[in-house]
Amino acid sequence: WMMFHVKHQYMSVWQRTKKAHMNINAVLKKQNHRDFDFWLDQYVQNANTINQMRQNMFVDFKQCFDALSAHFLPGFDCEVIYYQGWKAQEQLLDVLLAEKNNAFRLGQLSHGVHRMDLKFKSAGHVAKEVLSRGQKKMVALVCYLSCLEVMDQQAEHKSVLCLDDLDSELDENNTALVLSHLKSKTNQVLITSLNDGHYGDMGSFEVFHVKH
């Protein structure tokens, strides 16, 4: 999502990767072993390019994420990890060739850039298993604000930030902390809320009510 907005060449590489992946799925469905290697080579070439672009972008994202985490969640251990879709120490082509028979049996690739993910840990544990709902909300906000920072640094135009029901699952202190940060930004920000009482002195914010 972020790559699309800041790296113009990303979309063309992604489209080539997607086309190769779709053809691989068709080959697997038809049990067409003859064409598998050709489309696999096309997929791997473009997938490796995408992965390198994503890794470079993640460095910038993580820098913003770590700084904002320290601000919004002081004293709280939260780590974001880039998972490329297969083990970091292995080559994608080797992984996919090794699982070729399994791919034909399942009808899909079990590894690749389509499996890319960001994983979050807290004190060595999977974050979603140990965080409260409020903490999860703050981590999600930090992610979006980190994307905003990176996009503002690298994209040609300022982004518009839309936050739906911002204060749900946040106490007044955390809501105020987020609002204070947003006031320091030059972006246009649109916020929806069911309770404007959580926002105190709205200051520079303009408020309009939507009635049934």
Side-chain angles (χ1 to χ4, degrees):
W1 173 74
M2 186 166 50
M3 294 287 299
F4 170 78
H5 291 284
V6 300
K7 300 295 182 184
H8 299 299
Q9 68 272 31
Y10 178 79
M11 181 53 67
S12 61
V13 181
W14 170 248
Q15 288 174 338
R16 292 196 298 271
T17 308
K18 185 178 180 180
K19 178 182 178 181
H21 192 190
M22 290 175 62
N23 279 287
I24 288 174
N25 287 341
V27 164
L28 294 175
K29 184 177 180 179
K30 296 176 182 178
Q31 296 290 302
N32 183 0
H33 290 256
R34 183 183 61 185
D35 293 336
F36 179 79
D37 289 346
F38 172 80
W39 287 113
L40 187 68
D41 182 64
Q42 297 294 310
Y43 175 78
V44 169
Q45 286 184 37
N46 290 287
N48 282 330
T49 300
I50 281 183
N51 182 51
Q52 188 59 59
M53 294 170 69
R54 287 175 173 176
Q55 285 182 327
N56 293 339
M57 179 63 67
F58 177 72
V59 172
D60 298 329
F61 171 82
K62 187 177 187 305
Q63 184 177 15
C64 293
F65 179 88
D66 291 344
L68 289 173
S69 292
H71 177 68
F72 287 107
L73 297 162
F76 178 74
D77 176 29
C78 187
E79 180 185 11
V80 58
I81 301 166
Y82 175 82
Y83 173 65
Q84 62 186 10
W86 67 96
K87 291 182 179 180
Q89 66 272 23
E90 297 179 344
Q91 296 297 315
L92 178 58
L93 180 60
D94 294 338
V95 171
L96 296 181
L97 286 176
E99 67 174 27
K100 179 177 179 178
N101 291 337
N102 196 46
F104 274 98
R105 182 175 63 83
L106 296 176
Q108 63 181 3
L109 299 179
S110 298
H111 298 89
V113 289
H114 57 290
R115 299 287 187 180
M116 175 266 176
D117 199 5
L118 296 182
K119 298 179 181 292
F120 297 85
K121 288 191 175 183
S122 177
H125 301 282
V126 177
K128 66 180 181 181
E129 297 177 356
V130 296
L131 301 186
S132 67
R133 294 180 66 175
Q135 290 170 330
K136 290 177 184 177
K137 178 71 173 277
M138 287 298 287
V139 171
L141 284 170
V142 168
C143 284
Y144 281 112
L145 293 173
S146 298
C147 288
L148 188 72
E149 295 279 353
V150 173
M151 290 167 63
D152 282 352
Q153 292 169 8
Q154 302 187 23
E156 297 176 358
H157 305 287
K158 287 283 186 179
S159 303
V160 176
L161 180 63
C162 301
L163 296 171
D164 183 36
D165 205 9
L166 170 62
D167 53 315
S168 69
E169 300 171 351
L170 295 183
D171 58 29
E172 291 188 22
N173 290 335
N174 281 327
T175 300
L177 187 62
V178 174
L179 287 175
S180 177
H181 178 79
L182 295 178
K183 287 181 180 180
S184 70
K185 307 297 294 180
T186 57
N187 306 78
Q188 183 181 23
V189 182
L190 302 175
I191 301 171
T192 66
S193 175
L194 298 176
N195 186 357
D196 59 9
H198 288 174
Y199 291 81
D201 180 12
M202 300 302 291
S204 59
F205 289 101
E206 296 182 13
V207 183
F208 66 93
H209 295 275
V210 180
K211 297 183 179 181
H212 294 289

